[in-house]
Amino acid sequence: MTPLQAAIVQNTPGYSEAYPQGVPRTYSWCAGTPGDSRPPPAGFSAVTAWGQIYSLAGAPPQKATKATTLQVKGTKTYVRYKQSKRWALVQDQHHGKLEGGHFVGDFVGNRAVPMEIQVTPDGTASMGRPPVGYNNHFWMAPRGTFKAGSVDAVYVQTKIRTTKPNAGLVANVGADWWRDAGADYVDGFANNPDAGVSNWVTLRQRWSTLHFYSIPSSELKANPPPPLAGSRGRAAVTSHFVLPAPPQRKSPCLPVERER
């Protein structure tokens, strides 16, 4: 499977590999919400990539420790300009940093406890597993910026792995549009509505590349961002790409009927 095909699978409804523990089944993003993506609101001029890591639904609780359990590297955010349809890099973990915290699994009250993030010499961010009842929620800083009204889409890519076998963890990625580079968070997300989020991916000791995009898959295939553009050499394969059978794991979430 090419990177472009993998991105399509991760952003097609029903293709989550597993599900998070502690996310209410009534939440629309319990199963991931591909197809529920949005362009930036009028007047907004910034964007931030983010990711969230949860314990696997149905797995026995594992005690959190300060020892490294998770590593994140290569996070990048691209925006697409309306007129030219050109993709531009606006966030890069190599030049920025990851911030975040352990948030309660349902995010009620935006309650969180500190999460230690250590950065290795090669720029990889390392952190412990989420405590019981919490997640690891991280985001890129500083925010990527663009001229208000000039952008219509976003693409996010990152690599995540566990350092422990059978860690029982899942992750997904997404992006938030921000009013500007310095706007504060306000309750209700008036300053940072989400652009969307990908399906859930089971984390392993090998690196997993996670993808999110906020446009229909047909547009992505016709004009992929730079990290996926190398896949265009297999244009015939991609154009006739048939999605594999969806995972058979039973979802604890309410059905999402949106189509991408």
Side-chain angles (χ1 to χ4, degrees):
M1 189 178 295
T2 69
L4 179 57
Q5 291 168 346
I8 292 171
V9 169
Q10 288 185 23
N11 289 269
T12 298
Y15 279 81
S16 284
E17 295 179 353
Y19 299 94
Q21 188 174 99
V23 175
R25 65 189 300 265
T26 55
Y27 280 21
S28 63
W29 52 272
C30 173
T33 52
D36 190 27
S37 302
R38 307 167 185 84
F44 278 55
S45 61
V47 67
T48 293
W50 52 259
Q52 48 188 5
I53 301 169
Y54 280 81
S55 293
L56 176 69
Q62 294 191 36
K63 183 179 179 181
T65 68
K66 290 187 177 181
T68 296
T69 307
L70 292 152
Q71 294 181 322
V72 181
K73 71 175 183 179
T75 309
K76 294 184 178 184
T77 309
Y78 291 80
V79 294
R80 188 181 71 171
Y81 287 100
K82 286 183 182 180
Q83 297 300 320
S84 66
K85 298 303 179 184
R86 178 179 64 87
W87 291 94
L89 180 66
V90 294
Q91 286 185 305
D92 187 340
Q93 187 177 342
H94 184 70
H95 301 292
K97 64 177 180 177
L98 290 187
E99 298 178 344
H102 296 300
F103 285 74
V104 291
D106 59 9
F107 284 100
V108 170
N110 208 40
R111 291 177 292 128
V113 296
M115 179 174 71
E116 183 177 352
I117 301 176
Q118 297 181 338
V119 180
T120 60
D122 68 353
T124 299
S126 300
M127 62 196 77
R129 67 174 299 120
V132 175
Y134 290 78
N135 62 28
N136 286 12
H137 181 39
F138 61 85
W139 54 87
M140 277 291 301
R143 297 168 192 163
T145 58
F146 49 86
K147 182 180 178 180
S150 66
V151 161
D152 63 1
V154 61
Y155 169 77
V156 171
Q157 177 174 303
T158 192
K159 295 179 183 291
I160 308 178
R161 78 179 188 101
T162 67
T163 60
K164 308 291 185 183
N166 304 314
L169 296 166
V170 296
N172 65 5
V173 294
D176 283 349
W177 301 113
W178 280 87
R179 192 171 298 278
D180 55 50
D184 292 329
Y185 169 81
V186 295
D187 190 34
F189 304 100
N191 281 347
N192 66 316
D194 69 300
V197 62
S198 70
N199 286 319
W200 296 97
V201 172
T202 302
L203 298 181
R204 302 171 176 84
Q205 286 184 279
R206 60 174 173 78
W207 290 102
S208 294
T209 302
L210 279 68
H211 313 264
F212 162 70
Y213 53 88
S214 64
I215 52 177
S217 297
S218 58
E219 292 186 31
L220 187 83
K221 289 190 287 186
N223 178 31
L228 303 180
S231 304
R232 298 185 74 185
R234 296 187 180 182
V237 175
T238 301
S239 63
H240 294 92
F241 173 56
V242 176
L243 284 165
Q248 296 302 304
R249 184 186 297 273
K250 185 177 180 180
S251 170
C253 312
L254 290 181
V256 177
E257 297 180 353
R258 304 177 185 91
E259 294 295 333
R260 189 164 185 81

Short mmCIF file of all heavy atoms in Angstrom, two decimals, residues 3-42:
data_model
loop_
_atom_site.label_atom_id
_atom_site.label_comp_id
_atom_site.label_asym_id
_atom_site.label_seq_id
_atom_site.Cartn_x
_atom_site.Cartn_y
_atom_site.Cartn_z
N PRO A 3 1.85 5.36 0.50
CA PRO A 3 1.46 6.31 1.54
C PRO A 3 0.13 7.00 1.22
O PRO A 3 -0.68 7.25 2.13
CB PRO A 3 2.61 7.31 1.54
CG PRO A 3 3.79 6.50 1.10
CD PRO A 3 3.25 5.56 0.06
N LEU A 4 -0.13 7.30 -0.05
CA LEU A 4 -1.39 7.93 -0.43
C LEU A 4 -2.57 7.00 -0.14
O LEU A 4 -3.60 7.42 0.39
CB LEU A 4 -1.35 8.31 -1.91
CG LEU A 4 -2.62 8.96 -2.49
CD1 LEU A 4 -2.99 10.21 -1.72
CD2 LEU A 4 -2.41 9.27 -3.96
N GLN A 5 -2.41 5.74 -0.46
CA GLN A 5 -3.48 4.77 -0.19
C GLN A 5 -3.69 4.60 1.31
O GLN A 5 -4.83 4.50 1.79
CB GLN A 5 -3.15 3.44 -0.86
CG GLN A 5 -3.20 3.51 -2.38
CD GLN A 5 -2.60 2.29 -3.05
OE1 GLN A 5 -1.91 1.48 -2.41
NE2 GLN A 5 -2.85 2.13 -4.33
N ALA A 6 -2.60 4.56 2.07
CA ALA A 6 -2.71 4.44 3.53
C ALA A 6 -3.46 5.64 4.11
O ALA A 6 -4.28 5.51 5.02
CB ALA A 6 -1.33 4.32 4.16
N ALA A 7 -3.19 6.84 3.57
CA ALA A 7 -3.88 8.03 4.04
C ALA A 7 -5.38 7.93 3.77
O ALA A 7 -6.20 8.31 4.61
CB ALA A 7 -3.29 9.27 3.37
N ILE A 8 -5.74 7.41 2.61
CA ILE A 8 -7.16 7.27 2.27
C ILE A 8 -7.85 6.30 3.22
O ILE A 8 -8.95 6.56 3.71
CB ILE A 8 -7.31 6.82 0.81
CG1 ILE A 8 -6.86 7.95 -0.13
CG2 ILE A 8 -8.75 6.43 0.50
CD1 ILE A 8 -6.75 7.54 -1.58
N VAL A 9 -7.20 5.18 3.52
CA VAL A 9 -7.77 4.21 4.46
C VAL A 9 -7.99 4.86 5.83
O VAL A 9 -9.03 4.68 6.46
CB VAL A 9 -6.87 2.97 4.58
CG1 VAL A 9 -7.31 2.08 5.74
CG2 VAL A 9 -6.89 2.17 3.28
N GLN A 10 -7.00 5.64 6.28
CA GLN A 10 -7.12 6.26 7.60
C GLN A 10 -8.15 7.38 7.65
O GLN A 10 -8.48 7.87 8.74
CB GLN A 10 -5.75 6.81 8.04
CG GLN A 10 -4.75 5.74 8.40
CD GLN A 10 -3.45 6.32 8.94
OE1 GLN A 10 -3.41 7.43 9.44
NE2 GLN A 10 -2.38 5.56 8.82
N ASN A 11 -8.67 7.77 6.49
CA ASN A 11 -9.66 8.85 6.46
C ASN A 11 -10.94 8.44 5.77
O ASN A 11 -11.66 9.28 5.22
CB ASN A 11 -9.04 10.08 5.80
CG ASN A 11 -8.00 10.75 6.68
OD1 ASN A 11 -8.32 11.64 7.46
ND2 ASN A 11 -6.76 10.30 6.58
N THR A 12 -11.23 7.15 5.80
CA THR A 12 -12.48 6.61 5.28
C THR A 12 -13.30 6.07 6.44
O THR A 12 -12.79 5.30 7.25
CB THR A 12 -12.20 5.48 4.26
OG1 THR A 12 -11.47 6.03 3.15
CG2 THR A 12 -13.50 4.87 3.76
N PRO A 13 -14.56 6.46 6.57
CA PRO A 13 -15.38 6.00 7.70
C PRO A 13 -15.40 4.47 7.82
O PRO A 13 -15.47 3.75 6.81
CB PRO A 13 -16.78 6.53 7.35
CG PRO A 13 -16.53 7.74 6.50
CD PRO A 13 -15.31 7.39 5.68
N GLY A 14 -15.29 3.99 9.05
CA GLY A 14 -15.37 2.56 9.32
C GLY A 14 -14.04 1.84 9.32
O GLY A 14 -14.01 0.62 9.49
N TYR A 15 -12.94 2.57 9.16
CA TYR A 15 -11.64 1.91 9.04
C TYR A 15 -10.73 2.13 10.24
O TYR A 15 -9.52 1.98 10.14
CB TYR A 15 -10.93 2.34 7.75
CG TYR A 15 -11.44 1.56 6.55
CD1 TYR A 15 -12.62 1.92 5.93
CD2 TYR A 15 -10.77 0.44 6.09
CE1 TYR A 15 -13.12 1.20 4.86
CE2 TYR A 15 -11.25 -0.29 5.02
CZ TYR A 15 -12.42 0.10 4.41
OH TYR A 15 -12.92 -0.64 3.35
N SER A 16 -11.28 2.46 11.40
CA SER A 16 -10.46 2.50 12.61
C SER A 16 -10.02 1.08 12.95
O SER A 16 -10.81 0.13 12.87
CB SER A 16 -11.25 3.09 13.79
OG SER A 16 -11.34 4.49 13.68
N GLU A 17 -8.74 0.94 13.33
CA GLU A 17 -8.21 -0.39 13.66
C GLU A 17 -8.66 -0.85 15.04
O GLU A 17 -8.71 -2.05 15.31
CB GLU A 17 -6.68 -0.35 13.61
CG GLU A 17 -6.10 -0.09 12.23
CD GLU A 17 -4.59 -0.03 12.25
OE1 GLU A 17 -3.99 -0.06 13.34
OE2 GLU A 17 -4.00 0.05 11.15
N ALA A 18 -8.94 0.09 15.92
CA ALA A 18 -9.36 -0.22 17.30
C ALA A 18 -10.02 1.04 17.83
O ALA A 18 -10.21 2.02 17.09
CB ALA A 18 -8.17 -0.64 18.14
N TYR A 19 -10.34 1.05 19.14
CA TYR A 19 -11.09 2.18 19.69
C TYR A 19 -10.52 2.59 21.04
O TYR A 19 -9.90 1.79 21.74
CB TYR A 19 -12.57 1.81 19.79
CG TYR A 19 -13.13 1.50 18.42
CD1 TYR A 19 -13.18 0.19 17.97
CD2 TYR A 19 -13.55 2.51 17.56
CE1 TYR A 19 -13.64 -0.11 16.69
CE2 TYR A 19 -14.01 2.23 16.29
CZ TYR A 19 -14.06 0.92 15.85
OH TYR A 19 -14.49 0.64 14.59
N PRO A 20 -10.76 3.86 21.43
CA PRO A 20 -10.18 4.38 22.67
C PRO A 20 -11.00 4.05 23.90
O PRO A 20 -12.23 4.00 23.85
CB PRO A 20 -10.17 5.89 22.41
CG PRO A 20 -11.38 6.11 21.55
CD PRO A 20 -11.46 4.91 20.66
N GLN A 21 -10.31 3.88 24.99
CA GLN A 21 -10.97 3.63 26.27
C GLN A 21 -11.24 4.96 26.97
O GLN A 21 -10.34 5.80 27.08
CB GLN A 21 -10.05 2.76 27.14
CG GLN A 21 -10.66 2.26 28.42
CD GLN A 21 -9.72 1.29 29.12
OE1 GLN A 21 -9.01 1.66 30.04
NE2 GLN A 21 -9.70 0.04 28.68
N GLY A 22 -12.49 5.18 27.38
CA GLY A 22 -12.81 6.39 28.12
C GLY A 22 -13.46 7.48 27.31
O GLY A 22 -13.79 8.54 27.86
N VAL A 23 -13.67 7.26 26.01
CA VAL A 23 -14.38 8.24 25.19
C VAL A 23 -15.85 7.82 25.14
O VAL A 23 -16.16 6.69 24.72
CB VAL A 23 -13.80 8.31 23.76
CG1 VAL A 23 -14.64 9.26 22.90
CG2 VAL A 23 -12.35 8.76 23.81
N PRO A 24 -16.78 8.66 25.56
CA PRO A 24 -18.20 8.28 25.54
C PRO A 24 -18.64 7.82 24.15
O PRO A 24 -18.27 8.41 23.14
CB PRO A 24 -18.91 9.57 25.96
CG PRO A 24 -17.90 10.29 26.80
CD PRO A 24 -16.58 10.00 26.14
N ARG A 25 -19.43 6.76 24.11
CA ARG A 25 -19.87 6.20 22.83
C ARG A 25 -20.76 7.16 22.05
O ARG A 25 -20.96 6.98 20.85
CB ARG A 25 -20.59 4.88 23.06
CG ARG A 25 -21.90 4.96 23.81
CD ARG A 25 -22.45 3.58 24.19
NE ARG A 25 -22.69 2.75 23.03
CZ ARG A 25 -23.88 2.65 22.42
NH1 ARG A 25 -24.91 3.34 22.87
NH2 ARG A 25 -24.02 1.87 21.39
N THR A 26 -21.27 8.20 22.71
CA THR A 26 -22.12 9.18 22.04
C THR A 26 -21.31 10.28 21.34
O THR A 26 -21.87 11.05 20.57
CB THR A 26 -23.07 9.84 23.04
OG1 THR A 26 -22.30 10.40 24.11
CG2 THR A 26 -24.05 8.82 23.61
N TYR A 27 -20.01 10.36 21.62
CA TYR A 27 -19.18 11.38 20.99
C TYR A 27 -18.99 11.03 19.52
O TYR A 27 -18.66 9.89 19.17
CB TYR A 27 -17.82 11.47 21.67
CG TYR A 27 -17.80 12.27 22.95
CD1 TYR A 27 -18.96 12.50 23.69
CD2 TYR A 27 -16.61 12.78 23.45
CE1 TYR A 27 -18.93 13.22 24.88
CE2 TYR A 27 -16.57 13.51 24.63
CZ TYR A 27 -17.73 13.72 25.34
OH TYR A 27 -17.70 14.43 26.51
N SER A 28 -19.13 12.01 18.64
CA SER A 28 -19.02 11.74 17.20
C SER A 28 -17.64 11.23 16.82
O SER A 28 -17.49 10.43 15.90
CB SER A 28 -19.32 13.02 16.40
OG SER A 28 -18.36 14.03 16.69
N TRP A 29 -16.60 11.65 17.56
CA TRP A 29 -15.24 11.23 17.22
C TRP A 29 -14.81 9.97 17.96
O TRP A 29 -13.64 9.57 17.89
CB TRP A 29 -14.24 12.36 17.47
CG TRP A 29 -14.30 12.97 18.83
CD1 TRP A 29 -15.09 14.01 19.23
CD2 TRP A 29 -13.54 12.60 19.99
NE1 TRP A 29 -14.87 14.31 20.56
CE2 TRP A 29 -13.92 13.47 21.04
CE3 TRP A 29 -12.56 11.63 20.24
CZ2 TRP A 29 -13.36 13.40 22.32
CZ3 TRP A 29 -12.00 11.55 21.50
CH2 TRP A 29 -12.40 12.42 22.53
N CYS A 30 -15.74 9.31 18.65
CA CYS A 30 -15.42 8.03 19.31
C CYS A 30 -14.84 7.04 18.31
O CYS A 30 -13.89 6.33 18.61
CB CYS A 30 -16.69 7.47 19.95
SG CYS A 30 -16.53 5.81 20.63
N ALA A 31 -15.40 7.00 17.12
CA ALA A 31 -14.92 6.08 16.08
C ALA A 31 -14.07 6.78 15.05
O ALA A 31 -13.73 6.20 14.01
CB ALA A 31 -16.11 5.41 15.39
N GLY A 32 -13.66 8.04 15.31
CA GLY A 32 -13.03 8.86 14.29
C GLY A 32 -14.15 9.52 13.48
O GLY A 32 -15.26 8.99 13.40
N THR A 33 -13.88 10.66 12.88
CA THR A 33 -14.95 11.33 12.13
C THR A 33 -14.54 11.70 10.72
O THR A 33 -14.75 12.83 10.27
CB THR A 33 -15.43 12.59 12.87
OG1 THR A 33 -14.31 13.41 13.17
CG2 THR A 33 -16.17 12.26 14.14
N PRO A 34 -13.91 10.82 9.96
CA PRO A 34 -13.61 11.16 8.57
C PRO A 34 -14.87 11.57 7.83
O PRO A 34 -15.93 10.98 8.01
CB PRO A 34 -13.04 9.86 8.01
CG PRO A 34 -12.49 9.14 9.20
CD PRO A 34 -13.45 9.47 10.30
N GLY A 35 -14.75 12.57 6.97
CA GLY A 35 -15.91 13.06 6.24
C GLY A 35 -16.60 14.21 6.95
O GLY A 35 -17.46 14.86 6.38
N ASP A 36 -16.21 14.48 8.19
CA ASP A 36 -16.80 15.58 8.95
C ASP A 36 -15.77 16.69 9.08
O ASP A 36 -15.53 17.22 10.16
CB ASP A 36 -17.24 15.09 10.33
CG ASP A 36 -18.09 16.12 11.07
OD1 ASP A 36 -18.74 16.92 10.38
OD2 ASP A 36 -18.07 16.11 12.30
N SER A 37 -15.12 17.02 7.97
CA SER A 37 -14.03 18.00 7.98
C SER A 37 -14.53 19.36 7.50
O SER A 37 -15.50 19.46 6.75
CB SER A 37 -12.90 17.50 7.07
OG SER A 37 -12.45 16.23 7.50
N ARG A 38 -13.81 20.40 7.93
CA ARG A 38 -14.26 21.77 7.67
C ARG A 38 -13.12 22.66 7.22
O ARG A 38 -12.01 22.56 7.74
CB ARG A 38 -14.87 22.36 8.94
CG ARG A 38 -15.97 21.51 9.57
CD ARG A 38 -16.30 21.97 10.97
NE ARG A 38 -17.26 21.09 11.61
CZ ARG A 38 -16.96 19.97 12.24
NH1 ARG A 38 -15.69 19.58 12.32
NH2 ARG A 38 -17.89 19.23 12.80
N PRO A 39 -13.40 23.61 6.30
CA PRO A 39 -12.41 24.63 5.94
C PRO A 39 -12.33 25.66 7.05
O PRO A 39 -13.19 25.69 7.95
CB PRO A 39 -12.97 25.23 4.65
CG PRO A 39 -14.45 25.07 4.80
CD PRO A 39 -14.65 23.76 5.52
N PRO A 40 -11.34 26.56 7.02
CA PRO A 40 -11.25 27.57 8.08
C PRO A 40 -12.41 28.55 8.00
O PRO A 40 -12.83 28.94 6.91
CB PRO A 40 -9.91 28.27 7.79
CG PRO A 40 -9.63 27.99 6.35
CD PRO A 40 -10.22 26.65 6.07
N PRO A 41 -12.94 28.96 9.15
CA PRO A 41 -13.99 29.99 9.14
C PRO A 41 -13.46 31.31 8.59
O PRO A 41 -12.25 31.56 8.59
CB PRO A 41 -14.36 30.12 10.62
CG PRO A 41 -13.88 28.85 11.27
CD PRO A 41 -12.66 28.47 10.51
N ALA A 42 -14.34 32.16 8.14
CA ALA A 42 -13.95 33.47 7.62
C ALA A 42 -13.17 34.24 8.68
O ALA A 42 -13.55 34.29 9.85
CB ALA A 42 -15.19 34.25 7.20
#
